[in-house]
Each structure stands twice: as structure tokens, then as C-alpha cells.
Amino acid sequence: MLARTNARRLPTLVVRSLSTETATSSGPQPPPPPPPSSKHSTSKPLARTHLNPAPRPSTSHRHQVLATLPPSFGRNQFLPVADSTRALLESIVARFEAPIRYAFAYGSGVFEQDGYGSSSPTSSDGPMLDFMFAVSYPAHWHSINMHQFPGHYPLGVRMVGSSFVAKVEEIPPGVWFNSMVNMNGVTIKYGVTTVDNLCSDLLNWKSLYLSGRMHKPIRIIKDDARVRLTQQVNLTSAVRTALLTLPDEFSERELFERIAGFSYGGDVRMLLPAENRGKVGNIVRKQAPQFKELYHRLVVALPGVHWPEHSATIQQDTSPQARAAHLRKLPSNLLQHVTTHYSSQSSIPPKEADESVYWAKLAGDASLPSVIERELHNIVRAPSAIQTLKGLVSAGPIKSARYASQKVAKWWRGWSSSSTSSSTDSKP
């Protein structure tokens, strides 16, 4: 009777995608607004030619759904920038029709650095804006993007198509760059990677190519819950690694420079006349407030570390037991490199005999800081060399030559100014 008249009600499961979820900013500036609607405008499509191919047909894909993170989680990652900069960054990302799950801007065009005549990317001598986009399906993404912006890709690359781009992108460290692109009145460079590749590097430091960039201040434009979670792990790993290489008392500037230098040590570009040798110092001198926002809460949450809010001095427990707690939680790739180094030393007892003694012995070794530094260099070296060679393909010969000449010119100006400063300081 009532069984027929009262229809059974099934609970409705409402699944909300977190691919563009916005978190509350810790600064006075509101958090990044939600991205624009994915519905494309009805503007006239570009003519389809052999060198301007039509994008692949859109395919519906279901992404893995993560639980909603608390709004305050990872609030240290949302660093404020000037309103004009924020508007410029968001307007550039909004122009891309291909779906972007996570996007951030970084470098001297976003946060001020020493060594630039102007920090505004809109000025004639200003820096280039750098972006990184994390996507789900790179071949599909490049197909859409190649149709919308064919000029972003070299002629030869457009001829072979988006599948070739995706294959080259897969080569470690898993990034494709389109460089020296003019958009919204500024020059930009944007890298494309997958969300899986980005999160893997953030967790494991398999190349430090992406995770190392995200050790430094970035401006998040499109947020993703999975990336926000793994980025918090990445930042904590950077703190633990730095603490293992620092004494019992040090300054916050030493901490920031140590962390900022992880991805530059071993980078082949630092061996060429194309990168300023004082780049780490240039970054930290101007971005100390952003570094403190990123790392202060993470540092004070670790046991045995003392860093008062209004103090520039940090103290830590450097006993073997305290260092062992940090050592055991290093990213898996770095930890494997370190333990492999010690595996041939007879003074280190086997891990199987007594695990606690093993870790304490490693953590108490006086050469551990230099071992960690050397292994970080080993992790960075090969991926940085491969990505440099990939740039010849992604940029093409003409753009590569222009980009290299600009980098060398910038390096020369930095070297000349530092030499002049040093000679002036040495005069009585």
C-alpha cells in the first residue's frame, strides 16, 4: 500500500570537482577568484590549415575526486601580489581555452628580485613572466592550444602535431615550454606538465625541477586540492632538508638561501654564462617576507625547533635523535641517494640489525650535510641538462638563439655590476 505510494528516496551524492577550488589567502588580499567559465566564446574560429590543425575532438573524462580540504589548509601558499600584477596574471591564464587544472606564476616578473632595472613586466627592460600549467591530458591540451595559438609552437612542431609535443613533454623532467610569447602586452614563457608528474615530484623529488621551483615564492592562479596537499609536503620536506644541513643556531636568511639553492645546485645552466651566480641571494634579499610566510608556520610546528615570530634567529636541536627524525622523513628519492652513499661504509651498522641505531648513526655523521648537498646536485644535474636540450626543440632554432642571447646579456650585466660593486667595496 504505502510501499507503492511512497517512492523510495535514494540519497544524492553531489560530487564537486576541486580542480579550481580557491583557498582563503593569509594576506590582506582576497584569494584568487574562481577561473572563468570553460564555455568558449562564439568568436570566429581560426582557419584550419596543415600548419594550423584543428584540435582533437573533446572527450569527456572523469577525474579522481578528492575530499574537500579545509579552507585554511595551505594558506601559507597563497602569497599576495599587487592588484595590477594579479589582474595581469589572471587575464593571461584566462585566455587559454585548453583546460588547466593548476596554474602558477613565478620568477622576477611576479616577485621582485635584485639585478633588474625594473620589476614590471610591462616595462621595456622588465623581466619575462613565467607560468607553469598542470593539465590532465597533455596531447589533448596541446591539440587545443596549438589550434588557438599556433604561433606559440615552432613551424616544424606544428607540422608533426600535438602527439609529438606530448611525447617530448614526457621525457624527464616532464615539462614542455613555450617561450618568448607575447600576450596582453607582455612577454611570457609557460611550461606545461601533468598533474601526476607535478605531484610525484613534489612528494618524491624525483627531479627537483618542479618541486624546486615551488620551494620559492609563487603566485597561485588556479588551485587544485591534490596539488595544494602535495605542495605542503614539498615545503615541509624543504625545511627538514635544510635543517639537516644547518647548525644549532642560524639566521632566517640562511634558511631561505639554503632552501632556494636546492634546485640551483647541480643545474647545468649555472655552469654556462647564462645564469647569475648570485641569483639565490638576489631572490632572498627581495623576497624574505614571502619566504617567511611560506615557511614560518611549518618550521615552528617541527619538534626541537625554536623560531619566535619577531626574531630573525632560529635554534634547533641537533642531537642525532632529533636529526634522525628529519632524516627518515626526507623525500624518497633523496633518502635513497643518501642511504646508498652510506651503504658501503663499514662504520654504519646494517639497518636490519637495529633500525633506530642505524638512523641515529647516519644522522650523527659529521659529513651528512655535505652528503645531502652532493646528492641534491646529483638529482638535479641530469633533468636540468635534458630540459635544456628539450628547449632547442620546443623553442626552435630562432627563438632559442634569441633567448640564449638575452640570458647571456643579462648574465653579463649582472656580472659587471657585481664586479663593480666588489671593486668599490675593496677601496679604502
Side-chain angles (χ1 to χ4, degrees), residues 202-409:
L202 292 175
L203 289 175
N204 306 317
W205 290 12
K206 62 177 185 176
S207 71
L208 269 172
Y209 192 86
L210 295 165
S211 54
R213 275 168 170 71
M214 296 178 71
H215 288 160
K216 297 174 278 291
I218 63 172
R219 173 64 185 186
I220 298 172
I221 305 167
K222 274 193 172 184
D223 186 31
D224 179 87
R226 179 183 170 197
V227 179
R228 194 186 344 152
L229 179 62
T230 52
Q231 165 65 346
Q232 203 73 343
V233 175
N234 177 47
L235 296 175
T236 305
S237 297
V239 171
R240 292 185 184 277
T241 305
L243 291 176
L244 286 168
T245 65
L246 290 166
D248 56 355
E249 184 173 306
F250 51 93
S251 68
E252 64 179 25
R253 179 171 172 176
E254 289 179 282
L255 174 68
F256 301 155
E257 289 187 347
R258 190 62 53 90
I259 292 174
F262 287 159
S263 60
Y264 288 114
D267 192 331
V268 296
R269 295 174 301 171
M270 301 303 290
L271 304 176
L272 304 172
E275 285 290 352
N276 188 348
R277 303 300 184 273
K279 191 174 182 69
V280 170
N282 290 347
I283 293 172
V284 172
R285 275 191 296 274
K286 292 291 187 178
Q287 299 176 24
Q290 289 85 4
F291 272 97
K292 191 160 188 175
E293 173 65 17
L294 270 178
Y295 290 107
H296 184 267
R297 297 183 191 90
L298 298 178
V299 171
V300 298
L302 295 176
V305 185
H306 183 63
W307 185 7
E309 176 70 31
H310 302 292
S311 174
T313 302
I314 306 171
Q315 297 174 323
Q316 66 163 328
D317 181 358
T318 55
S319 66
Q321 292 73 25
R323 285 187 178 269
H326 297 316
L327 181 62
R328 298 177 68 167
K329 294 181 180 180
L330 291 182
S332 59
N333 191 32
L334 175 58
L335 186 58
Q336 182 180 358
H337 276 71
V338 172
T339 54
T340 300
H341 169 84
Y342 282 104
S343 62
S344 60
Q345 297 189 12
S346 58
S347 59
I348 304 298
K351 181 179 177 181
E352 296 76 14
D354 192 325
E355 194 167 339
S356 60
V357 173
Y358 170 80
W359 291 115
K361 192 72 174 178
L362 261 62
D365 182 47
S367 64
L368 179 63
S370 61
V371 171
I372 290 176
E373 183 178 4
R374 182 168 60 252
E375 297 307 327
L376 285 171
H377 290 185
N378 291 336
I379 292 173
V380 170
R381 187 173 295 111
S384 70
I386 294 172
Q387 190 62 46
T388 300
L389 295 175
K390 284 169 62 177
L392 300 176
V393 178
S394 61
I398 298 176
K399 276 190 178 181
S400 295
R402 287 174 54 199
Y403 184 69
S405 64
Q406 290 182 6
K407 295 286 282 185
V408 171

Side-chain angles (χ1 to χ4, degrees), residues 141-195:
W141 194 94
H142 287 292
S143 176
I144 297 174
N145 196 55
M146 196 177 291
H147 177 65
Q148 184 186 10
F149 299 118
H152 292 189
Y153 299 82
L155 177 64
V157 169
R158 296 192 335 248
M159 293 182 67
V160 292
S162 60
S163 295
F164 170 79
V165 175
K167 290 295 183 183
V168 175
E169 180 185 313
E170 285 178 4
I171 301 172
V175 184
W176 173 277
F177 275 106
N178 286 332
S179 59
M180 301 187 71
V181 172
N182 292 318
M183 292 188 74
N184 293 23
V186 297
T187 303
I188 75 167
K189 176 180 71 175
Y190 62 93
V192 182
T193 188
T194 64
V195 174

